[in-house]
Amino acid sequence: MELERLVDGAERILTLNWRDGFTVPTGKLYPFQWNWDSGFTSIGHSYFQLDYAIRELQSLFSGQWENGMLPHIIFHNENEDTYFPNHDFWGTHVNPGAPQRPKSSGITQPAVHGFILENLLEKFPDNEDLISFVKHIFPDVVKSHRFLYAHRDPQREGLMFIFHPWESGRDNSPLWDESLERIEIDASTLPHYQRWDTRIAPSDERPTSYQYDRYVYLLQLGKKYRYDEAGIFEESPFLIQDTLMNAVLIKSNQSLINIGKRFGLDVGELEEWQQQSRSCFKEKLWNHELQTFAPFDVRGGGHIAFKEIGGLASLYADIPSPVQAQRLNDYLWSLHGRGFYICPSFDVDSPLFDSKRYWRGPVWSQMNWMIYHGLKKYGFVETAKIVRSDLIELVRKLCFYEYYEPQKSKVATLTAGYGGSDFSWTAACTLDLLKDGA
Ligand code: DGY
């Protein structure tokens, strides 16, 4: 695909997936609004219609809970029944602070919206509509961070926990295998359910049924406690201080501080969170043996020691010391030298690596977008260029898919990416990287 046709293609997909107020990630597989998807997607819309970018974020925040939790799915259309788990299965009415409408899931996702707002403001610094929208939504975004610090950080360390793999954004990463293995499934108590995803996407590109049983188990656990963190913290066998979740939160804290200072808003609370989070991340999550950041398993009491893509997101949040950043850059550079598009989502040398199965190996556009910006900030310009051009090349060859094969030799034999097609954030991130013109 030629570059101009890529821009047209990205616009076509964003228009195709627009649903009168929000954007679905892809028409069939994910027919509602997803939390972190919609952040990246709003950047894409801003190139053609800034008001769509604003409406996208307004729609998302219309599902925010009273306690500040920003759900990972907003079910704007209650009649759409081709997705599991749908709003009725989540049953979030058990929590009195969940809005009646729109219905939502009961878990959250990476808190990208602070840095998305800053990115939009950098693009349109003087746009009055955008400025007034940002001022209006600022307290709600801060509230979503306050929720994470107040309810997901009971030891007050500055690092939030997740209790479901779907919250991490990296659903079936091998990172979570050991924690999920702690869960014994009793078939007589697990509710009957039917997956839709494997009817729409090839099953060897999706999580396994073993994993889905455990996703449903953890959903039920959340519901049992009315999605209240205190009980979940006591009981959940899956409790992780994740790298990507915390890096994104730290990046967004900083963006909100920058925005607040520009508009004369109070940023004291944000600065306190930020100071503690940044130093705790840098120390607690750095794995000396692997020379990368690794999630901390609260139940297991140690690192989940794998090289994978979440640790690299720290670059975008300006967390690593120069030495740590150099190690992360070396890792990317070595993968490039070995014939991989960078960056595969999981350690290519691990027996758990699977180059086509969702988060067990493929390349993801939004991750490349964050890593690209992080590398640039640290001055690793050559690596940044490769991260950018690798994604663009994958999209040119294989179109706008959800994720991509990372092995160059294998890509040469393929005509499509993996997972959902006509994918919104792939369109948005590619478009933004094209416009960046590194
Ligand atoms: C899915 O349905 O696979 C989503 O990633 C869960 O949010």
Side-chain angles (χ1 to χ4, degrees):
M1 229 191 277
E2 293 315 313
L3 290 184
E4 312 83 70
R5 286 187 47 219
L6 270 189
V7 173
D8 292 348
E11 182 177 9
R12 181 187 63 76
I13 287 167
L14 292 169
T15 308
L16 175 78
N17 291 342
W18 176 254
R19 297 284 185 276
D20 193 24
F22 69 96
T23 314
V24 295
T26 175
K28 290 195 181 134
L29 194 55
Y30 307 124
F32 304 105
Q33 187 177 30
W34 259 259
N35 177 326
W36 71 319
D37 291 65
S38 77
F40 292 100
T41 301
S42 70
I43 289 184
H45 281 304
S46 75
Y47 282 104
F48 311 107
Q49 273 149 314
L50 182 57
D51 63 314
Y52 277 26
I54 292 174
R55 287 171 67 194
E56 179 78 38
L57 297 172
Q58 282 168 333
S59 295
L60 181 69
F61 276 82
S62 72
Q64 186 170 29
W65 290 20
E66 255 171 51
N67 63 6
M69 204 273 286
L70 194 60
H72 99 296
I73 307 176
I74 312 294
F75 299 102
H76 292 290
N77 178 355
E78 291 178 26
N79 300 320
E80 169 63 65
D81 58 2
T82 59
Y83 178 78
F84 172 82
N86 216 319
H87 61 86
D88 46 353
F89 201 88
W90 283 100
T92 50
H93 56 272
V94 295
N95 186 303
Q100 284 299 306
R101 292 242 138 62
K103 300 241 183 312
S104 72
S105 67
I107 58 174
T108 191
Q109 257 185 343
V112 297
H113 308 92
F115 72 69
I116 295 294
L117 290 181
E118 188 179 31
N119 185 290
L120 292 173
L121 277 172
E122 278 162 8
K123 289 187 167 63
F124 307 96
D126 303 317
N127 184 288
E128 288 302 326
D129 291 340
L130 180 64
I131 291 171
S132 94
F133 165 67
V134 170
K135 285 184 184 165
H136 183 77
I137 203 163
F138 182 88
D140 296 335
V141 186
V142 175
K143 188 174 171 186
S144 71
H145 289 211
R146 191 178 300 119
F147 161 79
L148 297 172
Y149 285 109
H151 297 271
R152 296 297 188 90
D153 182 19
Q155 325 276 18
R156 301 287 175 261
E157 290 177 81
L159 291 179
M160 57 150 299
F161 74 76
I162 54 170
F163 77 91
H164 199 296
W166 285 340
E167 296 196 299
S168 74
R170 314 199 287 312
D171 304 13
N172 70 337
S173 168
L175 288 171
W176 321 133
D177 288 4
E178 202 179 309
S179 299
L180 292 180
E181 274 158 26
R182 290 188 196 123
I183 300 172
E184 295 272 343
I185 296 290
D186 175 351
S188 66
T189 56
L190 196 73
H192 174 71
Y193 70 93
Q194 226 175 0
R195 289 173 67 172
W196 273 93
D197 60 321
T198 42
R199 296 193 217 176
I200 297 165
S203 57
D204 62 350
E205 295 171 19
R206 295 286 307 168
T208 60
S209 25
Y210 177 91
Q211 286 153 352
Y212 253 78
D213 278 355
R214 280 145 188 87
Y215 300 157
V216 170
Y217 175 94
L218 291 169
L219 185 162
Q220 292 294 116
L221 178 81
K223 193 159 38 170
K224 170 173 150 190
Y225 288 106
R226 300 192 196 147
Y227 300 105
D228 181 84
E229 272 59 29
I232 293 169
F233 181 73
E234 285 304 311
E235 185 177 333
S236 180
F238 186 96
L239 217 57
I240 317 279
Q241 290 169 319
D242 179 36
T243 44
L244 175 61
M245 286 298 274
N246 282 287
V248 162
L249 179 61
I250 289 169
K251 173 68 187 176
S252 281
N253 278 340
Q254 191 57 50
S255 292
L256 291 173
I257 291 169
N258 300 343
I259 293 171
K261 285 189 173 159
R262 173 176 167 189
F263 296 127
L265 305 167
D266 182 13
V267 295
E269 191 182 25
L270 284 158
E271 282 179 328
E272 271 175 40
W273 295 331
Q274 185 66 335
Q275 208 183 8
Q276 194 193 12
S277 292
R278 204 189 276 280
S279 68
C280 190
F281 188 112
K282 202 189 294 199
E283 270 147 45
K284 184 168 181 182
L285 302 189
W286 181 251
N287 186 292
H288 287 278
E289 208 174 311
L290 294 179
Q291 294 288 295
T292 190
F293 292 102
F296 189 86
D297 177 357
V298 178
R299 285 289 174 253
H303 281 158
I304 305 177
F306 289 106
K307 289 190 169 183
E308 62 82 49
I309 201 150
L312 298 170
S314 61
L315 290 163
Y316 184 49
D318 211 2
I319 295 168
S321 67
V323 174
Q324 289 171 329
Q326 183 63 54
R327 297 290 167 268
L328 300 180
N329 183 61
D330 294 346
Y331 170 64
L332 286 167
W333 199 250
S334 78
L335 287 168
H336 171 67
R338 292 172 59 195
F340 288 95
Y341 286 100
I342 48 178
C343 184
S345 43
F346 197 72
D347 181 4
V348 300
D349 296 316
S350 163
L352 301 172
F353 173 74
D354 181 338
S355 71
K356 70 192 296 196
R357 206 184 271 279
Y358 212 32
W359 283 96
R360 299 180 83 87
V363 174
W364 287 76
S365 65
Q366 81 289 12
M367 296 306 301
N368 273 41
W369 186 94
M370 287 190 277
I371 293 167
Y372 164 77
H373 286 291
L375 287 166
K376 260 192 14 176
K377 206 182 296 167
Y378 275 88
F380 298 118
V381 179
E382 282 311 304
T383 328
K385 276 188 185 160
I386 296 166
V387 169
R388 174 182 177 272
S389 63
D390 276 3
L391 180 70
I392 293 172
E393 191 174 318
L394 283 166
V395 176
R396 276 174 92 163
K397 281 190 176 163
L398 306 178
C399 295
F400 292 96
Y401 271 79
E402 187 178 3
Y403 41 96
Y404 297 96
E405 171 61 46
Q407 300 167 97
K408 289 189 178 167
S409 55
K410 206 160 165 192
V411 168
T413 68
L414 297 176
T415 54
Y418 297 142
S421 58
D422 289 345
F423 215 84
S424 298
W425 70 12
T426 309
C429 292
T430 307
L431 180 64
D432 198 47
L433 289 176
L434 281 171
K435 300 276 184 189
D436 196 281

